[in-house]
Amino acid sequence: MNQDVKEILISEEKIQSKVKELGKLLSDEYANTLPLCVGILKGAAPFMADLTRAMSIPLEMDFMAVSSYGASTKSSGVVRILKDLDSSVEGRDVLIMEDIIDTGLTLSYLIELLKGRNAKSVKVVTLLNKPARRKVDLVPDYCGYEIPDEFVIGYGLDYGELYRNLPYIGILKEEVYSS
Ligand code: XMP
Ligand code: MG
């Protein structure tokens, strides 16, 4: 285990079996639709890489990178698009892939944005869900695990850009934040 990690919340084995289960489910749900899978950079990269490989149907992949605006406008949920999609979503079944839904502000903005571009459908699959911190009414269509209100790292999630490559979801030691 990484020396900065206090506790493993979800093991590599648990993540991988959940990803396989979600992959099977999504293969049924999106059979014959050629979904456009949209990964939200950077956190969703490991999840998307594993999940799409667990899907046994034809699909396309694209990516967006977003960042929240400063604290003053955060409650509006407006996000800044750092990298937009390469492809058009018009008439497409879009499946957004996220690492974690926290307040829900980022995703609710993106869902409306893609619907406004005339996607046929926009759904969300997230590995983790922290419903305790929700600020908008957003329920993921597909979810791996609900977790308590703890800051987590690993499997795409970072603290100061580190730990994204850990194969499990962990909780950091307090001393890592305070040093
Ligand atoms: P919302 O808009 O749902 O944003 O608040 C979700 C984004 O917030 C980040 N986030 C976390 N990142 N550990 C992290 O490393 C966490 O526990 C955590 N909670 C939220 C993350 O970037 C996510 O996409
Ligand atoms: Mg982050």
Side-chain angles (χ1 to χ4, degrees), residues 22 26 47 51 95-98 123-127 142-143:
L22 284 170
L26 292 168
F47 179 49
L51 180 59
L95 180 58
I96 299 176
M97 299 188 164
E98 253 293 31
K123 289 190 177 183
V124 174
V125 55
T126 185
L127 178 67
Y142 310 95
C143 174

Side-chain angles (χ1 to χ4, degrees), residues 34-169:
L34 191 63
L36 180 64
C37 299
V38 172
I40 309 303
L41 297 172
K42 306 168 196 171
F47 179 49
M48 183 169 182
D50 287 345
L51 180 59
T52 52
R53 283 179 294 174
M55 292 171 69
S56 55
I57 55 168
L59 55 80
E60 292 180 17
M61 297 189 218
D62 205 340
F63 299 90
M64 284 182 101
V66 299
S67 84
S68 322
Y69 276 106
S72 57
T73 53
K74 216 179 171 186
S75 56
S76 68
V78 175
V79 302
R80 194 154 58 100
I81 295 176
L82 305 176
K83 185 231 172 285
D84 206 336
L85 296 173
D86 294 333
S87 19
S88 163
V89 300
E90 191 165 349
R92 301 294 303 269
D93 290 298
V94 175
L95 180 58
I96 299 176
M97 299 188 164
E98 253 293 31
D99 49 357
I100 187 166
I101 306 180
D102 190 26
T103 64
L105 290 170
T106 309
L107 266 187
S108 59
Y109 179 84
L110 288 181
I111 291 167
E112 291 316 308
L113 180 79
L114 298 181
K115 282 183 177 166
R117 292 179 182 177
N118 295 321
K120 185 174 166 197
S121 68
V122 182
K123 289 190 177 183
V124 174
V125 55
T126 185
L127 178 67
L128 304 177
N129 189 19
K130 256 193 218 179
R133 285 183 29 100
R134 202 69 98 249
K135 288 190 180 154
V136 290
D137 187 19
L138 179 85
V139 179
D141 299 280
Y142 310 95
C143 174
Y145 292 99
E146 280 201 2
I147 60 165
D149 186 12
E150 296 256 25
F151 189 82
V152 292
I153 47 90
Y155 201 67
L157 294 152
D158 72 302
Y159 176 69
E161 293 299 326
L162 294 174
Y163 313 110
R164 292 191 198 274
N165 58 321
L166 299 181
Y168 51 81
I169 300 290

